[in-house]
Amino acid sequence: MSILYEQMAESIENGMVSKVKELTQKALDEGCEPKEIISNGLLPGMNEVGILFKEGELFVPEVLVAAKAMSAGMELIKPLLKDGEVQSAGKCLFATVKGDLHDIGKKLVSMLMEGAGYEIIDLGVDIDPESIVEEVKKHKPDLVGMSAMLTTTMVAMKDTVEALKENGLYEKVKVMIGGAPVTGKYADEIGAYYSEDASAAVDLANQLIRAS
């Protein structure tokens, strides 16, 4: 069975969507437990993608295709999972802030973090502070990740942190920010944590979860 999982992981690395779906179904047909397929085939494949991306051997388009391949397998498995059967690394809520429509960076971080075992809630783009606050109340995430690709929209990150404080939520979550104009200095100023790229975001999330 390990060969099947190895093939699954390799297929994710190579972005072979239909092959991952086929191997996942084969594993299910052969009686493999859904959580074992995730732990031994899907997650290792996506984790390797994250490593290769960090080392500069894979690039954004390839990571996005790999994530699509992993999702194809997960779609078959999710309906078969019982609540709490697979241990989540943590729950993360993501949004591109108000006034900003850029999506790729946030999507990349979300996919790599999902590959690392995190439960992801992606609110999309152009999300105002009030909406983020409401979703935090609703989902109770461990982490809130915000992205901005424009200098003019960075202020919405500060506004969101302030809104979380006003609603008594800031102490209950860790706020991560990133994007082309964002810096570690700005993160410190507004009370957030900064990651320079998608791979660093996964490392940061792991650190924050361990420390909480």
Side-chain angles (χ1 to χ4, degrees):
M1 197 57 64
S2 61
I3 294 174
L4 182 58
Y5 291 141
E6 285 172 18
Q7 291 175 335
M8 198 179 293
E10 285 176 13
S11 297
I12 288 172
E13 289 171 45
N14 294 316
M16 301 168 71
V17 178
S18 58
K19 186 66 174 177
V20 172
K21 197 168 186 177
E22 175 191 319
L23 290 168
T24 302
Q25 188 60 59
K26 183 179 179 183
L28 289 170
D29 291 344
E30 291 182 8
C32 297
E33 290 292 325
K35 63 180 180 180
E36 288 180 7
I37 297 172
I38 295 173
S39 299
N40 298 327
L42 298 178
L43 289 186
M46 201 61 202
N47 279 336
E48 183 62 22
V49 168
I51 292 167
L52 293 172
F53 176 69
K54 191 173 187 176
E55 294 175 348
E57 293 186 38
L58 290 181
F59 300 96
V60 172
E62 294 159 309
V63 174
L64 294 177
V65 175
K68 187 175 180 182
M70 178 189 166
S71 295
M74 287 297 294
E75 282 172 15
L76 292 174
I77 289 174
K78 278 182 178 175
L80 306 175
L81 290 172
K82 304 181 185 72
D83 286 344
E85 191 170 3
V86 175
Q87 186 65 41
S88 168
K91 187 186 292 186
C92 311
L93 186 146
F94 284 103
T96 299
V97 295
K98 183 173 175 58
D100 205 315
L101 301 176
H102 293 85
D103 192 46
I104 292 295
K106 172 179 62 65
K107 190 175 287 185
L108 191 59
V109 173
S110 298
M111 288 172 170
L112 288 181
M113 288 190 63
E114 185 173 17
Y118 285 89
E119 180 183 347
I120 303 300
I121 301 146
D122 190 344
L123 302 183
V125 301
D126 191 23
I127 308 298
D128 59 55
E130 295 76 21
S131 296
I132 292 174
V133 165
E134 289 308 309
E135 294 297 325
V136 169
K137 288 178 181 176
K138 177 180 174 183
H139 295 286
K140 298 178 175 58
D142 303 293
L143 303 169
V144 173
M146 291 185 285
S147 171
M149 291 298 287
L150 304 171
T151 306
T152 51
T153 59
M154 280 171 57
V155 67
M157 292 175 161
K158 181 180 179 182
D159 293 343
T160 302
V161 170
E162 293 302 320
L164 289 170
K165 288 178 178 177
E166 288 167 11
N167 285 270
L169 299 169
Y170 179 72
E171 300 298 330
K172 298 177 182 177
V173 297
K174 297 286 192 287
V175 180
M176 297 167 49
I177 64 173
V182 181
T183 64
K185 183 172 181 283
Y186 183 69
D188 290 341
E189 287 173 1
I190 69 170
Y193 296 89
Y194 168 72
S195 63
E196 61 183 1
D197 58 37
S199 294
V202 178
D203 293 339
L204 175 62
N206 290 338
Q207 290 169 20
L208 295 174
I209 290 292
R210 281 197 298 268
S212 61

